Amino acid sequence: MAGNRLAGGGAQGPLSRRTFLKGAGASAFALGSVAVLPLFGTPSAVQDPRTCKAADMSARAKDLIVSNWPAYIDPPEKDYVSTLQLFEKQTGITVDYTDDVSDNAEFFAKVRNQLGDCQAIDRDIMVLTDWMAARVIDLGWVQPLERSKVQNLHDNLIPALRDRAWDPERTYSAPWQSGLTGIAYNAKLTKEVGSFEALLTRPDLKGKVTLLSEMRDTMAFVIKVTGGNPDDFTEDQWQDGLDYLRKVVRGGHVRAFTGNEYIQDLTAGNIVACEAWSGDVIQAQFENPDIKFVVPEEGLNLWSDNMLVPNKAQHQENAESWIDFYYDPKNAAQLAAWVNYICPVEGAREEMEKIDDSLVDNRLIFPTEEELEDTFDFMALDERQNQQYEGEWSDVTGG
């Protein structure tokens, strides 16, 4: 997601993601506040994917260009064949893989002129978080997937991710990895924080908590606290939540709105509790077992980073082969053993037993269906709402 995807691989596997990021420095993957993006109301920006498409060259050109987030795929190592290498070997397709998606808003700004004008962006797959995936699908910038070519997706996608209002049949999108937004606290410094309301109101936490700078992550919980449904809320419910948060901020309860740097403050004791992404907590627990992840009483925000085929992609069938490959449980398990986020593929947990049985029972990688039942998403916004809400969010948070 928009945030640092930190994790640890198994002891017997290749270089772990945790070790990689420790060496590279977490700041390389930090996220800034989401920018307020311009309103797209002009017809020229909205495209029809049925007509804004390129001839598919996959049959004669065994190439594929993928844009993903940094440190989001298992790297090749000595005596270890990565999933990307396996894909190339099995399909004969050569992959040009880049990790140039470091922020949803920045990537949108990079490609918006071309996609809005029905021009190619020289990519066959781009990986974007739910809210941005919803946005580009709504603008008509994404090609539908041929269902028969991605049958593994439809057979093996976990139930919790099957029904998204912005793409209910997964016609345009395929989750790459998923994660949870909840609460983390330092058990050495404070007692358990069991709800988001407590995080925002408990007197002993005043000035010692942080919230995420991602508007959708934080406001989903605030809307829950004030009685609304983040999956489907009204303008009045949005304003109620915003007013509530404004009072909390003005009262000095929140130390800061941050990207993933909150995890360093939590470990160091500069804060004692915070809104958190599950992958960051997995990372922190390797170094500090006092860092705990909590399922708030309000539930958990479940999100995904999604594979999308942009308009004018020249190798769609090759892209569909890539999606189908990663929805094979065996390949999904190998990827999850390094990435350590929620694996979106049914059957991968059983395959993980053959790879690293220490990860099989990690509920931040393989949560049960029951544990995912009480998750929620943030309502898809139209362009007018997006501009309004991001602006009002910035006024409250100082972003």
Side-chain angles (χ1 to χ4, degrees):
M1 167 155 193
N4 194 1
R5 301 168 182 78
L6 301 171
Q12 303 304 316
L15 173 69
S16 74
R17 195 158 188 241
R18 174 171 61 96
T19 306
F20 174 84
L21 289 179
K22 282 181 65 180
S27 61
F29 310 111
L31 171 72
S33 298
V34 176
V36 177
L37 301 177
L39 180 68
F40 279 95
T42 59
S44 61
V46 179
Q47 298 296 331
D48 183 347
R50 295 173 297 181
T51 57
C52 183
K53 58 189 297 187
D56 194 347
M57 300 172 59
S58 297
R60 61 181 183 277
K62 293 295 185 180
D63 300 305
L64 179 66
I65 305 172
V66 179
S67 280
N68 205 343
W69 297 75
Y72 221 14
I73 194 169
D74 53 320
E77 296 291 331
K78 183 180 180 181
D79 301 323
Y80 172 77
V81 180
S82 71
T83 55
L84 189 154
Q85 290 174 315
L86 283 174
F87 173 78
E88 290 184 323
K89 183 178 180 180
Q90 290 182 16
T91 65
I93 296 169
T94 300
V95 181
D96 180 358
Y97 183 96
T98 58
D99 56 1
D100 62 340
V101 186
S102 58
D103 179 287
N104 284 288
E106 288 178 2
F107 188 82
F108 181 93
K110 182 161 54 177
V111 302
R112 77 180 200 210
N113 289 339
Q114 297 99 309
L115 290 176
D117 197 34
C118 191
Q119 296 178 19
I121 60 169
D122 298 322
R123 294 168 176 85
D124 301 303
I125 290 178
M126 55 186 181
V127 181
L128 300 175
T129 308
D130 288 331
W131 67 272
M132 185 58 80
R135 188 174 190 180
V136 295
I137 290 171
D138 185 60
L139 287 166
W141 293 357
V142 179
Q143 287 293 305
L145 303 170
E146 176 62 47
R147 187 181 181 96
S148 64
K149 301 290 179 58
V150 290
Q151 195 59 52
N152 281 339
L153 165 66
H154 296 287
D155 290 344
N156 299 331
L157 180 63
I158 61 175
L161 297 176
R162 288 182 180 271
D163 186 15
R164 284 292 183 259
W166 45 272
D167 191 15
E169 300 297 325
R170 290 293 180 183
T171 303
Y172 297 93
S173 63
W176 174 254
Q177 296 290 293
S178 294
L180 298 166
T181 308
I183 294 173
Y185 72 99
N186 189 324
K188 188 175 181 180
L189 302 176
T190 189
K191 62 183 180 181
E192 180 174 329
V193 183
S195 71
F196 208 81
E197 183 175 17
L199 184 70
L200 297 180
T201 60
R202 231 172 66 185
D204 62 305
L205 300 179
K206 184 175 181 179
K208 301 176 183 178
V209 305
T210 59
L211 301 177
L212 294 171
S213 57
E214 281 272 10
M215 179 266 284
R216 288 160 178 81
D217 287 86
T218 299
M219 285 305 296
F221 279 105
V222 174
I223 288 170
K224 271 267 190 178
V225 169
T226 54
N229 176 6
D231 288 292
D232 185 16
F233 57 86
T234 66
E235 179 73 20
D236 286 343
Q237 289 170 330
W238 163 262
Q239 293 299 333
D240 288 344
L242 206 64
D243 290 343
Y244 180 92
L245 182 61
R246 185 179 289 110
K247 291 178 182 178
V248 170
V249 171
R250 287 178 176 174
H253 195 84
V254 180
R255 177 185 173 100
F257 290 85
T258 75
N260 69 292
E261 62 268 25
Y262 67 83
I263 204 68
Q264 286 79 31
D265 282 332
L266 185 64
T267 300
N270 298 326
I271 60 173
V272 299
C274 57
E275 184 182 13
W277 287 307
S278 56
D280 287 341
V281 177
I282 293 177
Q283 159 68 11
Q285 288 172 337
F286 279 104
E287 310 298 331
N288 186 345
D290 289 322
I291 304 302
K292 310 294 184 182
F293 187 80
V294 175
V295 177
E297 293 175 8
E298 295 85 0
L300 288 164
N301 178 211
L302 175 66
W303 52 264
S304 297
D305 291 326
N306 305 274
M307 296 177 278
L308 307 156
V309 177
N311 288 350
K312 293 289 185 172
Q314 294 186 325
H315 309 98
Q316 174 154 345
E317 189 170 332
N318 292 345
E320 290 162 343
S321 294
W322 171 273
I323 293 170
D324 208 54
F325 173 88
Y326 278 100
Y327 271 81
D328 181 309
K330 182 178 179 180
N331 301 326
Q334 183 176 336
L335 176 64
W338 197 77
V339 176
N340 282 190
Y341 252 79
I342 292 179
C343 181
V345 181
E346 282 192 318
R349 184 176 182 273
E350 290 73 20
E351 291 292 336
M352 185 65 79
E353 294 177 353
K354 308 170 188 176
I355 300 172
D356 186 348
D357 59 9
S358 71
L359 300 178
V360 170
D361 294 323
N362 189 323
R363 292 297 183 237
L364 296 184
I365 303 173
F366 297 111
T368 65
E369 288 187 33
E370 292 76 16
E371 289 167 332
L372 293 177
E373 281 179 357
D374 198 24
T375 59
F376 53 86
D377 197 6
F378 192 87
M379 183 176 77
L381 305 179
D382 62 30
E383 291 297 322
R384 180 200 63 78
Q385 290 172 317
N386 186 73
Q387 186 175 22
Q388 175 193 335
Y389 291 175
E390 289 283 8
E392 291 174 344
W393 164 257
S394 294
D395 288 342
V396 171
T397 65

